[in-house]
Each structure stands twice: as structure tokens, then as C-alpha cells.
């Protein structure tokens, strides 16, 4: 349901965007001296019990909507602001992401190399599509509470494709997106034959990503990667990194640097912008440094792209070789069945199942009325409107009608009329219905509609 609460006065109109948060420009505590309106014409809004009940309703809903959890992007930005270097192991599916979180890491990154291997069984040579990466990413972000940086490859096309990619990754729940300057089809930066687009197109991709972020009202972290170290030269990679920072990138990344000196040169440019290192395990071009060494060089973020997929491949190979020889994996080489169930959340599921099965009771007609408990009410809107005796509108707010189902202790009745009872009676009626329409003691008109 899209909601657009409005708070109007003689001098201003505040229209809130279609979002999950609900923030009135003026707080609405259950107080008798609250006023809405212009600074020159203050208009009291709580002079009667009925009006106080209406404002308590609005305040309760406002407080509930303001308590939304921290966004993934905000969480990632908070981590990047912390001192030290932060490790972000690369995952490839929901299970590997859960293991990263359970191991105590604050964030992780998806590896296009590993996702292509795990999902398609194919090399990272541009064969996996945008749709497959978004789908896999959504499964990953829903499985964990830590922020996840999504591998956006080269944006899957031109600047317009980049914008679509960024917006899709935002909707998928990613905290950040990594975008590179390779041509299509792209490939792993540590393999041969790397080619990059022109300087102009590379910078335009980052600008398009920044524009997509603004248009989405998001603060997703943009990680700008260049593969020009291998394709052209170190100087070209440094130039592009500076240009990416100027275009609005939040984190810079040069892949396949070949020495510690090159890494120091990279960390010395655009100093306010965090740098990411790629510790490609098992034979990449970049020297493998430990976290303290990387911090000393100047890095803020480090990823390990092949650790999880690599050990998974080896472990599966060894297990299959054993099974072929008539042996199952020995104790200690794999978790017990109980440990597997714990990792996957079976125990949490059982606990939650008990909690809900114990709370299921027959509905009481005395409590809810003959039409059932707010049947279909969540698809309806409750509109609360207050008009001053001078004709000026003081309040016009829309909230889910079903919100009342959880606050019976706040608004048991308004002006001697039980609004929940009215809602029950009107639940099955189509179209709008006036639930309350009366003037309070100071002459303000209070109206409550079910839309």
C-alpha cells in the first residue's frame, strides 16, 4: 500500500514520499498544548478527549514508522567510518553469506567469479546475466543482517544499463555495488586479455550510477573499479581512480596491482576516499598482505574472492572421491547433522513454531464482532482530518486502518464512539465511509474516514 501522509498549514504543505518511514515535520505527542499551523497563527489541536485520542493515534503510528531499522547502505557507511581495515569475504549464495555473518564479519561482498561458478558451473567471462546476479543477490541479502556489496560487473551495458543495474541492486537489498570499466564481455581481472572502455565512458558509468542513486532516494555505496592496470598501465589506473572519485564514487578499487609499491601509490591518491584491496588467493597478481599490513599501506576495505568457493570445491572433490571408494566423510571433516541444522536455523524455526502454535485460539465474537477481526482492513486506509472553525485545514493524515488492531489500549474510544467497532462494521463495505464527523468544544471539525 502506498501512503502519502500530509500535514498542511496556512503557509506550507509537507508531502512525505512513498516510503516505509513515517515522519511528521511536527511531532505529535499526546499533549494538550500541541499546535499545528504557521508560526503566526498557532492553532491548538488538543482541547477535547476525542481530539486527544485522534492525535494519540497519529503519534503512535508516527513513532512506529520512525523506528525503522538502519538501512544496509547506512550500516556499510558506518563501518567504513570506523578506524582500521575491514574484511569482507566474498560469498556466492545465501548459505555462504550466513557463514560469513556467523563467523563475525561486519560485511561481505558477492563474487561474480564465484556466483558464475556456483550457479552456472561456468567461467567468469561475462556469461552470467544481470537478472541472474540480481536474483542471486536478493537471496543473499535476505539471508543475512550484515551489509552486502554486490558485484555489478561492468553494469551490463551502456550508461542507461548501469542506471538500471544500480536501481535493481538497490531493490535487491544491497548496501553497495561494485562497477568496473571493462568492455563486454568482461572477465576476471587477474586473467589474460583484459580490455577497458575509454576514459570518457568509464567516468560516465560512475556518473550514471550516482544519478541512479539520487533518483532512487538511496545512499547505496558505489565502489568504482578499474582494470586498466592490466589493460593499459598503472598511470592510467591512477588517473581513472581520481576521475571516479571526482564523479562521486564512495570507494576506489584498482584490480590486479602487482606490487606493494603500486598499492601504496594507489592509496596515496584522493586520500579522503576509502580504497579496497583484492587478496586473490591461490596465484593472483597482487601480493597477499595481512590486514595490519593493508591498513599500514592505506586500505580501508579488503575482500577475499575465492576462499569460500575454493575450499568448497576442494572439500566436495575429496568427499566425492571417498564416496566413490565406499567411504563417507570421516568425523571432523564435516559438521554433524545437529550442527548443520543449527547453522540453517532449524532450532530457531522450531522455537518460533512453538510460540505461534501456542497462541492460536478460536476467535471470540464478543471481542471482534460477527464480521471477524479486521478482515481485509489492512488493504484500506484510515483518513484523519481536522478543519479549524475558520475553515483552514489543520491536519490531514492517512494511515493503514489495520494499524488500530495493535493499539486498542491507546484509542479504545473517541468521543464516546468505539472506532474499532465502527471499523469492524464497515470492513466489508466497498468505497469510502465516514466513521466520525463532529465538532469539538472549540469548534474544530474532526472527521475520520475509511477509504
Amino acid at each position: 500500500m502506498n501512503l502519502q501522509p500530509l500535514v498542511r498549514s496556512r503557509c506550507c504543505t509537507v508531502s512525505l514520499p512513498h516510503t516505509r518511514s513515517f515522519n511528521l515535520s511536527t511531532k505529535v505527542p499526546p499533549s494538550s498544548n500541541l499546535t499545528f499551523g504557521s508560526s503566526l497563527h498557532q492553532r491548538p489541536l488538543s482541547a477535547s478527549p476525542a481530539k486527544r485520542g485522534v492525535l494519540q493515534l497519529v503519534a503512535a503510528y508516527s513513532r512506529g514508522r520512525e523506528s525503522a531499522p538502519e538501512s544496509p547502505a547506512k550500516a556499510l557507511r558506518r563501518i567504513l567510518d570506523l578506524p582500521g581495515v575491514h574484511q569482507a569475504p566474498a560469498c556466492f549464495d545465501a548459505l555462504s553469506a550466513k557463514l560469513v555473518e556467523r563467523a563475525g564479519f561486519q560485511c561481505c561482498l558477492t563474487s561474480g567469479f564465484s556466483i558464475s561458478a556456483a550457479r552456472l558451473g561456468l567461467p567468469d567471462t561475462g556469461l552470467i546475466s544481470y537478472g541472474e546476479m540480481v536474483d542471486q543477490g536478493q537471496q543473499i541479502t535476505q539471508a543475512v543482517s550484515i551489509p552486502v556489496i554486490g558485484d555489478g560487473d561492468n553494469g551490463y551495458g551502456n550508461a542507461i544499463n548501469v542506471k538500471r543495474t544500480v536501481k535493481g541492486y538497490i531493490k535487491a537489498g544491497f548496501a553497495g555495488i561494485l562497477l568496473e570499466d571493462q568492455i563486454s564481455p568482461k572477465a576476471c581481472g587477474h586473467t589474460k586479455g583484459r580490455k577497458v572502455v575509454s576514459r570518457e565512458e568509464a567516468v560516465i558509468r560512475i556518473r550514471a550510477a550516482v544519478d541512479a542513486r539520487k533518483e532512487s532516494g538511496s545512499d547505496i555505496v558505489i565502489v568504482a573499479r578499474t582494470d586498466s592496470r592490466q589493460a593499459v598501465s598503472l598511470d592510467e589506473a591512477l588517473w581513472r581512480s581520481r576521475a571516479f572519485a571526482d564523479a562521486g564514487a564512495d570507494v576506489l578499487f584498482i584490480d590486479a596491482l602487482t606490487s606493494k609499491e603500486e598499492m601504496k601509490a594507489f592509496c596515496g591518491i584522493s586520500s579522503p576516499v576509502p580504497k579496497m584491496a583484492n587478496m586473490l588467493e591461490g596465484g593472483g597478481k597482487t601480493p597477499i598482505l595481512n590486514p595490519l599490513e593493508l591498513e599500514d599501506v592505506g586500505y580501508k576495505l579488503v575482500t577475499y574472492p575465492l576462499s569460500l568457493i575454493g575450499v568448497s570445491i576442494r572439500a566436495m572433490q575429496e568427499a566425492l572421491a571417498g564416496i566413490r571408494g565406499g567411504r563417507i566423510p570421516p568425523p571432523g571433516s564435516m559438521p554433524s547433522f545437529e550442527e548443520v541444522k543449527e547453522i540453517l536455523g532449524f532450532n530457531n524455526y522450531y522455537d518460533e513454531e512453538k510460540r505461534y502454535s501456542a497462541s492460536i485460539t478460536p476467535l471470540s465474537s464478543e471481542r471482534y464482532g460477527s464480521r471477524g477481526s479486521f478482515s481485509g482492513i489492512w488493504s484500506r486506509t484510515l483518513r484523519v482530518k481536522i478543519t479549524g472553525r475558520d475553515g483552514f485545514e489543520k491536519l490531514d493524515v492517512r494511515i493503514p486502518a489495520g494499524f488500530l488492531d495493535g493499539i486498542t489500549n491507546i484509542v479504545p474510544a473517541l468521543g464516546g464512539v468505539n472506532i474499532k467497532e465502527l471499523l469492524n462494521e464497515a470492513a466489508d463495505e466497498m468505497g469510502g465511509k465516514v466513521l466520525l464527523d463532529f465538532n469539538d468544544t472549540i469548534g474544530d471539525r474532526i472527521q475520520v474516514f475509511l477509504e
Side-chain angles (χ1 to χ4, degrees):
M1 180 191 306
N2 287 328
L3 303 177
Q4 192 171 24
L6 298 175
V7 181
R8 297 191 181 98
S9 74
R10 295 181 66 176
C11 63
C12 65
T13 299
V14 179
S15 178
L16 302 183
H18 297 283
T19 177
R20 287 187 176 274
S21 63
F22 182 96
N23 296 299
L24 293 175
S25 61
T26 306
K27 302 297 181 183
V28 192
S31 167
S32 61
N33 58 7
L34 177 75
T35 60
F36 277 76
S38 70
S39 58
L40 297 178
H41 298 86
Q42 297 295 321
R43 306 179 188 284
L45 277 185
S46 49
S48 67
K51 189 180 290 182
R52 281 196 296 272
V54 171
L55 295 177
Q56 284 176 316
L57 164 63
V58 175
Y61 181 67
S62 177
R63 285 194 299 271
R65 305 302 270 184
E66 288 174 346
S67 61
E70 184 180 45
S71 72
K74 186 175 181 180
L76 179 58
R77 290 180 183 276
R78 175 176 49 77
I79 292 168
L80 292 174
D81 286 338
L82 295 174
V85 66
H86 305 290
Q87 298 171 292
C91 62
F92 52 88
D93 60 10
L95 176 57
S96 59
K98 289 187 74 169
L99 293 174
V100 171
E101 182 175 34
R102 286 174 62 91
F105 293 97
Q106 291 184 296
C107 58
C108 66
L109 182 142
T110 65
S111 163
F113 184 103
S114 300
I115 291 176
S116 182
R119 184 173 175 122
L120 304 181
L122 293 173
D124 181 24
T125 53
L127 296 174
I128 197 164
S129 68
Y130 158 78
E132 290 166 318
M133 289 291 285
V134 167
D135 178 69
Q136 193 83 347
Q138 188 169 27
Q139 301 302 318
I140 290 170
T141 60
Q142 290 180 352
V144 296
S145 59
I146 60 175
V148 183
I149 300 171
D151 186 349
D153 292 326
N154 57 5
Y156 307 100
N158 62 15
I160 307 303
N161 293 95
V162 169
K163 292 183 71 172
R164 178 177 183 245
T165 298
V166 172
K167 292 178 179 180
Y169 276 47
I170 291 170
K171 291 179 180 178
F174 282 110
I177 181 170
L178 187 152
L179 294 165
E180 60 196 50
D181 59 357
Q182 286 195 47
I183 64 170
S184 295
K186 57 84 58 188
C188 171
H190 290 251
T191 57
K192 63 181 182 179
R194 298 304 92 236
K195 294 181 181 180
V196 293
V197 298
S198 68
R199 285 182 171 184
E200 293 76 14
E201 185 173 349
V203 174
I204 285 173
R205 286 182 182 179
I206 301 304
R207 288 177 180 167
V210 172
D211 288 343
R213 175 172 63 189
K214 291 178 181 177
E215 291 169 8
S216 300
S218 168
D219 57 348
I220 189 171
V221 174
I222 296 173
V223 182
R225 161 180 161 174
T226 179
D227 287 80
S228 56
R229 169 63 188 93
Q230 290 299 306
V232 185
S233 67
L234 174 63
D235 287 341
E236 179 68 14
L238 296 176
W239 186 96
R240 291 187 181 216
S241 295
R242 294 189 192 96
F244 293 161
D246 292 340
D250 301 294
V251 178
L252 302 177
F253 171 33
I254 299 178
D255 202 15
L257 291 172
T258 60
S259 68
K260 189 173 181 179
E261 288 68 32
E262 290 188 357
M263 298 165 78
K264 287 182 176 179
F266 169 49
C267 290
I269 67 168
S270 303
S271 56
V273 183
K275 312 300 189 301
M276 188 176 89
N278 182 23
M279 298 288 96
L280 194 147
E281 315 86 329
K285 298 180 181 297
T286 304
I288 301 297
L289 305 181
N290 65 45
L292 291 178
E293 291 174 316
L294 289 168
E295 181 181 358
D296 184 62
V297 170
Y299 283 100
K300 175 58 66 173
L301 192 64
V302 54
T303 188
Y304 304 86
L306 297 184
S307 291
L308 297 188
I309 192 70
V311 298
S312 299
I313 291 172
R314 177 54 55 84
M316 287 189 285
Q317 287 175 329
E318 293 177 352
L320 291 169
I323 292 172
R324 188 174 177 84
R327 305 181 307 275
I328 64 171
S333 68
M334 62 177 286
S336 68
F337 183 49
E338 290 302 318
E339 290 174 311
V340 171
K341 289 194 296 181
E342 171 61 26
I343 290 169
L344 296 179
F346 275 84
N347 294 333
N348 291 336
Y349 176 87
Y350 294 146
D351 290 341
E352 193 168 12
E353 186 180 45
K354 289 178 183 177
R355 181 164 68 91
Y356 283 107
S357 61
S359 65
I360 296 176
T361 57
L363 297 178
S364 167
S365 60
E366 281 186 15
R367 180 178 175 185
Y368 295 112
S370 58
R371 294 182 184 271
S373 174
F374 276 55
S375 174
I377 279 292
W378 273 107
S379 64
R380 308 288 291 276
T381 300
L382 192 68
R383 181 182 181 188
V384 180
K385 182 177 181 182
I386 299 179
T387 306
R389 58 185 177 182
D390 56 5
F392 286 105
E393 190 175 274
K394 294 182 177 181
L395 181 68
D396 193 346
V397 178
R398 289 175 172 83
I399 64 175
F403 175 71
L404 283 175
D405 196 26
I407 59 165
T408 53
N409 59 326
I410 297 177
V411 193
L414 298 177
V417 179
N418 191 315
I419 194 168
K420 286 196 65 176
E421 183 177 325
L422 290 175
L423 279 169
N424 269 326
E425 293 175 356
D428 296 331
E429 295 186 17
M430 301 303 293
K433 178 179 177 62
V434 179
L435 301 179
L436 289 176
D437 189 348
F438 65 94
N439 286 23
D440 73 350
T441 55
I442 67 169
D444 286 347
R445 184 180 184 184
I446 301 174
Q447 296 170 290
V448 180
F449 307 89
L450 179 66
E451 297 183 336

